[in-house]
Amino acid sequence: MKTRKKIKAFTLSEIIVVLILTSIVVGLAFSVLGLVQKQMLAIQANYNKNQELQKLEASLWIDFNRYPNIRYDSSEDQLVLKHELDSVSYSFSKEFIVKAQDTFTIPLETKQFYFDGVLSQTNKVDALKLRTTKAYQNRELFIFKKNDATLYMD
């Protein structure tokens, strides 16, 4: 009589269970990966918005302290900064701000211009307050400069 040696192997049902469990784990991993990618895209978009806002703020600070004569033309919705040799202007639109060849894609909710600490009734400006829309988390920029005596001599 021949004896048969039993070969150690997995049964079909055991392999099916392993395949089912593996597919569940892989499906969960892809779901988590999708969520992580969405979060990373949201973080990147938020970072880009903050960078754009910081660029505008830096540009305004530099120009406010470089130019002694700052005026706002409400008819053209334009902030003009001048000194004897040079000038620069910021044009405000609903969705963006343009400075020469730079465009800041920052939608503004409100903009207020100040002179000597009160809202400016004239076109002279020594401070401004910009408030962004909800897309930029309603952030506020407040830019100002110290006035010298020549500003009051007009």
Side-chain angles (χ1 to χ4, degrees):
M1 200 160 159
K2 289 186 180 180
T3 58
R4 292 189 176 187
K5 289 186 179 179
K6 192 169 186 178
I7 301 173
K8 292 186 177 182
F10 295 106
T11 63
L12 182 60
S13 59
E14 290 172 331
I15 292 175
I16 290 174
V17 168
V18 168
L19 287 175
I20 290 172
L21 290 175
T22 304
S23 64
I24 290 172
V25 169
V26 169
L28 289 173
F30 276 112
S31 298
V32 169
L33 179 65
L35 292 174
V36 168
Q37 285 177 334
K38 285 180 185 176
Q39 286 287 8
M40 291 301 292
L41 288 174
I43 289 170
Q44 181 68 37
N46 194 21
Y47 176 78
N48 290 340
K49 288 177 182 179
N50 283 336
Q51 285 293 102
E52 190 79 9
L53 212 52
Q54 287 174 354
K55 286 179 191 176
L56 175 62
E57 185 176 24
S59 179
L60 283 168
W61 272 111
I62 290 169
D63 289 340
F64 258 65
N65 289 301
R66 181 182 294 163
Y67 297 96
N69 187 0
I70 304 172
R71 302 203 181 270
Y72 176 67
D73 183 1
S74 58
S75 63
E76 294 185 25
D77 204 10
Q78 194 172 38
L79 184 68
V80 180
L81 301 97
K82 294 182 181 179
H83 63 62
E84 297 81 24
L85 302 174
D86 192 17
S87 70
V88 68
S89 66
Y90 289 83
S91 298
F92 295 96
S93 172
K94 185 173 177 121
E95 297 297 320
F96 53 86
I97 300 166
V98 177
K99 172 198 172 189
Q101 295 170 340
D102 296 332
T103 302
F104 303 99
T105 54
I106 300 172
L108 296 178
E109 191 171 294
T110 60
K111 56 186 172 295
Q112 296 172 325
F113 301 94
Y114 296 90
F115 185 72
D116 275 343
V118 295
L119 281 172
S120 180
Q121 302 300 323
T122 64
N123 58 357
K124 287 184 181 180
V125 174
D126 65 0
L128 70 93
K129 182 180 182 181
L130 303 175
R131 183 179 178 93
T132 63
T133 60
K134 282 186 178 182
Y136 279 77
Q137 302 167 350
N138 292 341
R139 296 216 11 220
E140 289 185 354
L141 294 178
F142 186 75
I143 312 295
F144 66 94
K145 73 173 199 135
K146 293 182 180 180
N147 294 328
D148 57 358
T150 59
L151 188 64
Y152 299 103
M153 297 174 85
D154 282 344

